[in-house]
Amino acid sequence: MAVDLSPIDENLLAEIANLHGMPKGAFNIRKDGQLVQRSNSAFVEISTKTDHPGIDIHVKPGTKGETIYIPVIVTQSGLKDVVYNTFYIGEDCDVKIVAGCGIHNASHQASEHDGIHSFYCGKNSHVVYVEKHYGEGEGTGERILNPTTNVYMEEGATCEMELVQLRGVTSTIRDTNAELAADAKLVLTEKLLTHDQQTATSNMKIELKGDGSSVQVISRSVAQDDSEQVFNPLVIGEAACRGHVQCDAIIMGRAKVKAIPGIEAASEDALLVHEAAIGKIAGDQIVKLMTLGLTEEEAEQEILEDFLS
């Protein structure tokens, strides 16, 4: 049954999932811990879990070109919402999943959403997953988002994950875990923006278990004002595999950024690389844009948007 959405709800859905109205195909929209509306398709079935709050998403083998939307919005102050979503992707699929959570908090009480997502990617399947987090509201209450993402990839599977934190999230602890079988490939891109006194911790553990498996971890973050960030990825190579971890951060004001990239090789045929760079915006970049007619503030914003794009 369709539920009318408020302008606040619609704005949150636009921010986190680029949705304007209900999408076509398979989707599940959740608000304040309750189902708003759900739809299945001929190839995707979404059902309510019986043991935990959350949903199971089954994608039939051979499914191509499907986009599945599962956004969550929170507008009830003082709510702590926990949801478990499990994705079962059949063999030889090619699908896109759009998730994310938006919190509107106009009170002094904390609002929190903890999403635990598990992905079982079938043999030779291709999955694109986009998750955006966003917070807003004039209240002093915290907007807390603690996502956990678990990925299990069978032989030859490919998964591209884009994990994005936009503005307004008071604190976040992000845990990402993955296990890759032979010839599986994971590309994990994380983009974070923190400001004011916000904190963000990102923990990752990627295990390359099969020959020919590979992972590329790319972290781009901007820390402004008095915010603090910790980036803590670990790639473990247990076979003839390849892994690359890259962390680039821009620091502004009195912010603090700590990057602790780690690699462990348990096979002589593992090839693992990590690199990290933290710094401020180069002055010559701002000057160059100002010669094109931008103010210093506009030039700075342009650089930040390009960096996080």
Side-chain angles (χ1 to χ4, degrees), residues 174-176 190 200-206 217 219 229-235 245 247 258-262:
R174 314 167 65 88
D175 290 316
T176 304
E190 186 175 72
T201 298
S202 179
N203 303 309
M204 298 181 183
K205 182 180 180 182
I206 314 298
V217 177
S219 171
Q229 296 181 9
V230 178
F231 180 57
N232 185 29
L234 173 64
V235 173
V245 180
C247 169
K258 180 185 294 185
I260 319 167

Side-chain angles (χ1 to χ4, degrees), residues 1 41 44 71 142-144 173 190 196 202 214 230 241 243 302:
M1 180 178 64
S41 72
V44 179
E142 294 183 334
R143 298 174 292 273
I144 304 168
I173 299 176
E190 186 175 72
D196 299 327
S202 179
S214 66
V230 178
C241 58
E302 183 76 17

Side-chain angles (χ1 to χ4, degrees), residues 23-88:
K24 296 180 180 179
F27 67 87
N28 188 95
I29 296 178
R30 177 182 171 96
K31 174 184 175 181
D32 295 334
Q34 303 296 322
L35 175 66
V36 173
Q37 190 168 345
R38 174 184 299 164
S39 176
N40 292 327
S41 72
F43 302 99
V44 179
E45 179 182 353
I46 303 174
S47 58
T48 302
K49 283 184 177 294
T50 58
D51 54 347
H52 293 291
I55 54 177
D56 290 324
I57 301 95
H58 289 267
V59 182
K60 293 182 179 180
T63 299
K64 309 287 184 183
E66 288 264 351
T67 299
I68 306 161
Y69 290 89
I70 58 158
V72 171
I73 54 177
V74 175
T75 60
Q76 179 182 330
S77 299
L79 176 70
K80 180 175 180 179
D81 183 35
V82 180
V83 63
Y84 296 80
N85 295 334
T86 306
F87 303 82
Y88 300 95

Side-chain angles (χ1 to χ4, degrees), residues 131-236:
E131 179 182 270
K132 294 183 179 181
H133 287 167
Y134 169 73
E136 64 176 26
E138 298 301 323
T140 59
E142 294 183 334
R143 298 174 292 273
I144 304 168
L145 288 162
N146 294 326
T148 298
T149 306
N150 302 308
V151 187
Y152 306 95
M153 303 178 63
E154 294 185 15
E155 183 178 348
T158 301
C159 185
E160 302 171 49
M161 311 196 90
E162 184 176 355
L163 311 177
V164 181
Q165 178 172 299
L166 304 171
R167 303 191 65 84
V169 178
T170 308
S171 69
T172 183
I173 299 176
R174 314 167 65 88
D175 290 316
T176 304
N177 308 290
E179 295 181 7
L180 281 66
D183 297 319
K185 179 181 179 181
L186 174 64
V187 179
L188 203 165
T189 303
E190 186 175 72
K191 302 175 183 179
L192 296 178
L193 172 64
T194 57
H195 52 90
D196 299 327
Q197 294 181 317
Q198 298 171 355
T199 60
T201 298
S202 179
N203 303 309
M204 298 181 183
K205 182 180 180 182
I206 314 298
E207 298 177 82
L208 303 173
K209 292 180 170 294
D211 287 345
S213 59
S214 66
V215 64
Q216 182 178 16
V217 177
I218 302 167
S219 171
R220 287 181 175 270
S221 69
V222 175
Q224 299 175 321
D225 306 320
D226 293 291
S227 64
E228 297 185 11
Q229 296 181 9
V230 178
F231 180 57
N232 185 29
L234 173 64
V235 173
I236 302 173

Side-chain angles (χ1 to χ4, degrees), residues 9-23:
D9 300 336
E10 293 174 347
N11 178 68
L12 290 174
L13 289 173
E15 287 283 355
I16 63 174
N18 196 30
L19 281 178
H20 303 275
M22 294 298 167

Side-chain angles (χ1 to χ4, degrees), residues 97-119:
I97 300 166
V98 179
C101 178
I103 295 179
H104 179 92
N105 190 351
S107 84
H108 65 280
Q109 295 180 293
S111 297
E112 179 176 346
H113 173 76
D114 297 346
I116 298 92
H117 290 181
S118 297
F119 298 81

